[in-house]
Amino acid sequence: MAKRGGFPGMGMPGNMNNLMKQAQKMQRQAEENQKALEEKEFTAKAGGGAVEVTISGKKEVTKVKLAEEVVDPDDIEMLEDLIVAATNEALRKVEQESAAMMSKMTGGLGGLGGGLF
C-alpha cells in the first residue's frame, strides 16, 4: 500500500511543521495586536467640536464631552444626532486601526487569515 498525503516524512518533510509554526506566530501576533488595540482610546468630534466622544479599543464609550452652547432644551434632537455622529466616527477610527494592524501583520495580503482571528 503506497503512502500518500502531506504529512511530515511522507513526501513533504517539514512543510507541515513550518505551516503550523507560521500559523501559531500569526495567532500570537493577532492576540498581541488585539490587546494593544484594546488599550488605546479613540476620540471623535461633531458639530465643530461641540460634542466629543471617546471610546476604547474594546468599543466601549469612555467619555462624552459637551460644549455648554450645544445643550439646548428646545433642541434635544440635534444634541442626540451630534452624539451619534461623534460615536460612529470614533468607532470608524477603531475599525481603521484594526484593519491597519491586520494588514501590517499579513503583509498586505488582504483578507488572508482575516477570518481566522
Side-chain angles (χ1 to χ4, degrees), residues 20-68:
M20 290 300 292
K21 286 178 184 178
Q22 287 175 342
Q24 289 170 347
K25 181 180 176 185
M26 286 184 73
Q27 179 67 33
R28 279 192 307 276
Q29 286 177 331
E31 289 169 359
E32 290 168 7
N33 287 345
Q34 184 64 35
K35 184 176 180 182
L37 182 68
E38 288 176 358
E39 292 173 356
K40 289 185 176 186
E41 286 192 331
F42 300 83
T43 300
K45 297 178 182 180
V51 173
E52 182 178 289
V53 175
T54 302
I55 64 170
S56 70
K58 293 180 182 182
K59 300 179 184 177
E60 296 172 342
V61 175
T62 59
K63 181 171 48 171
V64 176
K65 187 174 180 182
L66 307 173
E68 202 171 297

Side-chain angles (χ1 to χ4, degrees), residues 55-111:
I55 64 170
S56 70
K58 293 180 182 182
K59 300 179 184 177
E60 296 172 342
V61 175
T62 59
K63 181 171 48 171
V64 176
K65 187 174 180 182
L66 307 173
E68 202 171 297
E69 63 271 11
V70 79
V71 182
D72 180 356
D74 295 326
D75 196 2
I76 297 294
E77 206 170 290
M78 180 192 67
L79 178 57
E80 292 169 344
D81 289 344
L82 291 173
I83 292 170
V84 168
T87 302
N88 286 333
E89 180 60 26
L91 287 168
R92 274 190 286 279
K93 289 181 178 185
V94 174
E95 291 301 322
Q96 287 174 342
E97 180 78 11
S98 178
M101 285 179 161
M102 182 58 74
S103 178
K104 184 177 178 183
M105 187 180 77
T106 61
L109 296 175

